[in-house]
Amino acid sequence: MNIKKSIVVRVRVAFLAVCLFACAIVYKVVHIQFMEGARWKKISKERRIRYQPVYATRGNIYSDNGSILATSLPFYRVAFDPTVSDAALFNAGVDSLAMLLSRFYGDKSEDYYRRKIKNARHAGRRYIRLNSEQINYQDKKMMLKWPIFRAGKNKGGVIFEKVEKRFKPFGLLAERTIGFINEDKNGAGLEYSFNNDLAGTDGEALFERIAGGNKPIYDGTEVKPQHGYDIQTTLDINLQDVAENALYKALERTNAEYGCVIMMEVKTGEIKAMANLGKTKGGYIEDYNYAVGSQGRTEPGSTFKLASMMALFEHAPQVSLTDTIDTGDGRYRIKNTTMTDAKHGGYGKLAVHEIFEKSSNIGVAKLMEQYFNGNQRAYVEYLNKFGLNSTLGFQMEGEARPYMKHPQDKNWYGTTLTSMAIGYETKLSPLQTLAFYNAVANNGVKIQPIIVKEIRKSDKVIQSFKTRVLNEKICSDETLEKLKTMLEGVVAQGTAKNIYNTDYKVAGKTGTARKVKNGRYVMEYSTSFAGYFPADNPKYSCIVIIDSPKGVNVYGGDVAAPVFKELADKAYARDLAMHKSLRARVAPNKDSMPGVAAGNQDDLAYICNKIGISNHPNGSDEEWVKVEPQRRSLNFKPNPVLINKVPDVKGMTLRDALFILGNQNLKVRVEGVGKRVQRQSLLPGTDITKNARITIELS
């Protein structure tokens, strides 16, 4: 009996405790709801509403002619506040809205969107994201005409959340030069180097945190963002395209590891093309800026011989181009190493200019020993005077620092002088080598290369960048004349004679440097060609690097020089200012009619007048004309070249045709052999589409 009573007492005590705990919970709920309700509501609102950044629109990047290289395009995610609209508007439009959403996105059924919207409205949810897919501005304009949405944000509840994407209209063209920047503010190229100007200043606004996302609250306290500035580069889209295509073909043909091309104007230092392509499993892409960065900093090889010869002529001006050096049988012992020349059996006795033209390592080494063996410090000081030990202060981040030895260094050996003289035991980036060659082309004035001309806000120039002189006179005029003669000789009868042409002169130097792997030189090469054109009045300088080409002919003249020529030919064809005057090419002949059908009106009129053929200009300002023979005279009819229209080049010379078609951004393929265009694949007057190609047939 005592046990039964004990159990009953325990049950009653437990029941009483449960009742007291339940009463305490009820009391606490009532107290929070009614006594402390206002306080907790205030805290909830403070935590739900906060200032968040409103991101500025990033500035555009333009080419030299104003073409957009990179821009920010607005995209949107569609959200909805289903509680905003009144019952009549909502009920009348929800079915149609659900149908339109289902058809537009194509991912869910009409019933799904209807239930999603109605359930949210019933639950009092003030924010739902209808779909995570981003839409463009045209889609946004279309959606604003849909039921409910057409009432706007305040009455219809539609919310378009702006998301900006970086867009490059020319695709992968100059991709690494344009560059990128990520969320962590790390990146490369112009996007990274000029981020402070492009990014602008973010604003801020109040946002309310609601289930499903954040809803903006426009209460007048928001700070508008200051959009980023635009930058105008010096890049020429047409030359950039040619540079990348020519480089890509050369890399594929030789199965090389990477390559780069830089082309700039001699007088201004403006970079007109900068192409960088590296090898991947799927081909070649712009994976790194080898033209500027440390991965492209290599031993330059024979292109460095220009600096050695400049030092020689400055140190010993009595050395003549016709002085001779016996290079022997192609093998020369220096301390404990043997230097060799490319030609089996050697070149024998060579004049100084032939040493340079044939790129004789032994010839250059013997000259250095003869004039600098007792004063190696002087040789290095000349190189430093030329600025080869210093960076250029280029506008893009990541410029590699040159590596130049000094006789006081611990790793200066008995063979270092002769090794440096032919481009080893020193390292330069392609851009630094090009700046040196450009100084020779620019009559000794070394200037800083630039790739950005202006920073702008709409039409207002915020900052402009001018050419900065790094060295007023890199060497004497006498030295310059000797160097120019040798550089022209390399193309006329030396290691780059395969790119010689009669239309314009090229001056330059080939380079082929063995590569180092695991501390030892291996039978892999970095090939190069650096130079300028036209040699008698330089307009452009250019350098081409092809790294680790495979095959039989892996020298700079065989691999890199043809890329230079393809780019130079394109630049020459589209720039009439570089062409020789026709006056020097016309011989008087009164007994024959000129076999022309089309061309430049001024040139044709001059030819006719020179050989005594009556001609009748059309009296207009048209630059290009068609020729109609009439007895013993020629009539000129206008042949206008219209923007974005395929021009009529039939009857023109190849040079004129390439000039016109190139300026219309057409990619040209030439077939046949002859002097004039007989047929063209695209009909004259039709619209030019993006990346359009045209084939012209010569006869």
Side-chain angles (χ1 to χ4, degrees), residues 310-380:
M310 182 181 289
L312 171 66
F313 293 141
E314 288 291 277
H315 185 69
Q318 72 274 15
V319 176
S320 169
L321 296 183
T322 57
D323 291 348
T324 58
I325 295 289
D326 187 2
T327 63
D329 61 357
R331 296 178 63 83
Y332 181 55
R333 191 74 177 173
I334 304 174
K335 302 296 182 181
N336 59 343
T337 64
T338 300
M339 181 176 288
T340 61
D341 273 337
K343 183 182 178 182
H344 182 71
Y347 295 107
K349 188 174 290 188
L350 292 176
V352 170
H353 71 89
E354 292 176 315
I355 289 172
F356 191 81
E357 292 166 1
K358 297 181 184 299
S359 200
S360 169
N361 294 331
I362 296 173
V364 173
K366 285 190 172 183
L367 284 169
M368 294 301 109
E369 285 184 328
Q370 182 176 345
Y371 291 97
F372 288 106
N373 210 21
N375 193 2
Q376 298 175 348
R377 181 192 295 269
Y379 172 73
V380 176

Side-chain angles (χ1 to χ4, degrees), residues 263-267 437-438 440-443 484 487-488 491 499 501-508 531-542 564-565 567-581 585:
M263 184 178 189
M264 74 177 184
E265 284 187 346
V266 170
K267 300 297 182 184
Y437 272 75
N438 193 82
V440 175
N442 198 25
N443 293 320
K484 289 179 179 180
L487 288 168
E488 291 181 36
V491 179
I499 68 169
N501 72 89
T502 57
D503 289 324
Y504 61 93
K505 287 184 178 180
V506 173
Y532 53 87
F533 66 96
D536 45 4
N537 185 22
K539 176 71 179 292
Y540 296 108
S541 60
C542 181
F564 179 101
K565 185 178 186 303
L567 184 54
D569 284 347
K570 175 68 174 180
Y572 179 78
R574 63 195 292 267
D575 192 340
L576 286 178
M578 286 195 292
H579 293 186
K580 291 181 179 179
S581 173
R585 301 187 180 185

Side-chain angles (χ1 to χ4, degrees), residues 15-72:
F15 177 75
L16 181 62
V18 171
C19 289
L20 290 174
F21 184 71
C23 290
I25 291 175
V26 171
Y27 171 77
K28 191 64 176 178
V29 169
V30 172
H31 186 268
I32 291 174
Q33 182 71 25
F34 296 102
M35 303 298 293
E36 298 181 353
R39 172 173 170 261
W40 289 111
K41 286 180 181 178
K42 182 179 179 182
I43 292 174
S44 174
K45 187 174 182 180
E46 288 175 352
R47 292 183 177 180
R48 210 169 59 242
I49 298 176
R50 64 178 60 185
Y51 278 100
Q52 291 186 7
V54 178
Y55 297 108
T57 298
R58 194 170 180 83
N60 298 329
I61 300 177
Y62 294 98
S63 70
D64 63 344
N65 67 354
S67 298
I68 295 178
L69 299 176
T71 188
S72 293

